[in-house]
Amino acid sequence: MAGLVGTRAAERAVEGAGDGAAARLPLLDVLRGVAILGTLMSNVWIFAGPGAEWGVLGGNAATSAGGGASSLAGVAETAFRFLANGKFLSMLTLLFGVGLAIQFRSAARRGLPWPGRYKWRALFLFAEGTVHFVLVFAWDVLMGYAVVALLVAWLLTRSARAQRVTWIVMGGLHLTAMTLFTAALLVASGGGTGAGTGGGAGGAPGAEAVALYAEGGYGEQIAFRLSHAVLLRAEPVFSFGLLVFMFLLGVRLFRAGAFQNDAAGRRIRRRLAGWGLGLGLPLNTLALLGGSDFFFLDRYGAAPVLAIGYVGLIGMAMDRLRHPGPPASAVTSALASVGRTALSCYVLQNVLAMLACYGIGLGLASRWADSGPWWVLGLWAAICLVLVAGANLWLRRFAHGPLESVQRRLLRR
């Protein structure tokens, strides 16, 4: 990956644009919007699966429930999961790193201390993620992002060499850990492969957990998350190296000008697309064919590579749409609106999915459990439409999303 961003280019800050312009680079808004809607492509299967959040530990968020792979429903579900699983979460992580780089540059230009007030921004994110975890969604990403943001914010005050070494070491440690986890699964299964498209390390969720999300009360679900918080908060712990790696990659790409509308930016985006898709598609296909034993290498190893390709591909598409017609302009505007209200949309999409799927709401997960994947795909599309429409309407009157406004007001900025 180091070859994509030359050493000298990676260390120079982007010049020529004000801080506000940098924060509102059109490509970044679109990428954030795609990442938010894409993250729901993975999370919607968690809400819709048996045992919901707890069922993830048994693999219900990654194994096919849509019939045989040869059926139309099975092919559609497999393709949907293949495109989404881990990819958009990695993209979102990279973009958080970009946002951190923007904040760092803004502080430097104003002569403000660093991390200074940024630590309060990270602590607010952690508190927000904690509330989100307790009340809405056990697999929240905000808490992990907040911890990594504090570490990377401190790293940005270190030398370029220290940042580069940390980036390489964290990536290497993470890849080693995922390889060992995969080896352990292969040994445990006797060298065979799982039948799904990737799964967890456990078995099917227990009947008690299935009943809890299908029929249990809201208070019972909150109590369940709290009592099982250690296991439900495991993902950001064992993927910590990946989070740091992707944050620092976002910093490096931003400093190299990867998101600027100039020749250098377009060149970097072409390289990201070429390398990311060229390596990511074969790696993800092999992981898919390997089955559930390759879950860790699939979601946390191959998926980030393809996510980098997604960033480059979307960037190239935006380069070609510098003067889009009405249809293309409507799409980019819709995605940018979601991107500008990313934090609010991330929380809202999980609230809507919870109310649609769990017994405390419409209970669709148990009611349509044997109906195949089409209703899940439809639910994803419906929530996306709500987010796009809501973000557009909100931004007509307000400059920032609801949660973004609360954050700015509390931090007085």
Side-chain angles (χ1 to χ4, degrees):
M1 198 59 217
L4 294 175
V5 184
T7 302
R8 292 178 60 191
E11 304 305 336
R12 67 173 177 85
V14 180
E15 301 293 344
D19 295 322
R24 289 274 74 88
L25 286 171
L27 176 56
L28 284 179
D29 284 333
V30 171
L31 285 171
R32 291 187 188 106
V34 171
I36 291 296
L37 301 182
T39 300
L40 180 62
M41 289 177 70
S42 294
N43 290 347
V44 70
W45 301 101
I46 298 177
F47 290 102
E53 301 163 313
W54 187 252
V56 174
L57 300 176
N60 79 359
T63 53
S64 177
S70 60
S71 68
L72 179 60
V75 170
E77 180 176 351
T78 298
F80 194 86
R81 292 176 183 268
F82 176 84
L83 292 173
N85 183 35
K87 285 79 171 177
F88 295 104
L89 181 60
S90 292
M91 182 190 297
L92 190 63
T93 308
L94 184 151
L95 292 171
F96 260 81
V98 173
L100 179 56
I102 292 173
Q103 292 290 317
F104 176 75
R105 191 186 71 173
S106 175
R109 286 185 167 179
R110 297 175 185 177
L112 300 176
W114 183 264
R117 295 176 62 183
Y118 182 82
K119 60 179 178 290
W120 298 111
R121 185 186 182 103
L123 290 173
F124 176 87
L125 188 66
F126 186 87
E128 199 166 30
T130 301
V131 173
H132 183 234
F133 163 77
V134 173
L135 300 182
V136 181
F137 189 46
W139 297 94
D140 164 81
V141 301
L142 302 178
M143 296 169 69
Y145 283 176
V147 174
V148 173
L150 285 173
L151 171 62
V152 176
W154 173 79
L155 279 172
L156 294 185
T157 66
R158 305 297 94 186
S159 67
R161 183 177 183 276
Q163 295 174 38
R164 187 165 57 252
V165 169
T166 302
W167 181 55
I168 295 172
V169 169
M170 283 296 186
L173 289 176
H174 172 75
L175 186 58
T176 300
M178 295 305 105
T179 302
L180 292 175
F181 282 138
T182 301
L185 288 178
L186 286 170
V187 170
S189 65
T193 58
T197 60
E208 182 179 347
V210 173
L212 172 66
Y213 288 98
E215 305 167 1
Y218 184 50
E220 294 176 295
Q221 293 176 11
I222 291 175
F224 184 83
R225 291 190 196 102
L226 291 174
S227 62
H228 295 83
V230 173
L231 282 175
L232 292 173
R233 291 284 74 208
E235 183 177 52
V237 176
F238 69 73
S239 65
F240 183 78
L242 175 63
L243 295 178
V244 176
F245 179 87
M246 295 302 289
F247 261 68
L248 287 173
L249 177 59
V251 171
R252 291 172 68 86
L253 288 175
F254 176 76
R255 288 178 170 179
F259 308 101
Q260 292 290 326
N261 185 25
D262 56 20
R266 289 189 288 273
R267 183 168 58 253
I268 293 173
R269 291 191 282 275
R270 287 195 297 269
R271 291 177 180 174
L272 291 174
W275 285 102
L277 298 176
L279 293 175
L281 285 172
L283 289 175
N284 280 269
T285 300
L286 289 173
L288 173 71
L289 295 176
S292 60
D293 290 339
F294 286 82
F295 169 76
F296 291 106
L297 278 179
D298 179 14
R299 182 173 173 83
Y300 305 107
V305 179
L306 191 52
I308 293 168
Y310 285 1
V311 170
L313 185 64
I314 294 168
M316 289 177 63
M318 288 286 290
D319 292 337
R320 292 180 177 274
L321 294 174
R322 293 165 66 185
H323 304 288
S329 180
V331 171
T332 55
S333 176
L335 292 172
S337 296
V338 174
R340 291 177 59 190
T341 56
L343 183 59
S344 299
C345 286
Y346 170 70
V347 173
L348 178 59
Q349 69 185 19
N350 293 327
V351 171
L352 294 176
M354 175 183 72
L355 293 176
C357 294
Y358 295 173
I360 59 174
L362 299 178
L364 299 182
S366 59
R367 186 180 305 176
W368 292 344
D370 300 320
S371 301
W374 299 115
W375 76 270
V376 184
L377 303 182
L379 176 62
W380 171 77
I383 294 177
C384 287
L385 289 175
V386 171
L387 295 179
V388 167
N392 270 287
L393 290 174
W394 183 272
L395 290 176
R396 289 181 183 179
R397 184 169 182 179
F398 305 100
H400 307 282
L403 291 181
E404 289 83 355
S405 296
V406 170
Q407 181 187 66
R408 293 174 68 88
R409 180 163 297 184
L410 290 177
L411 299 179
R412 296 181 181 180
R413 59 180 304 278

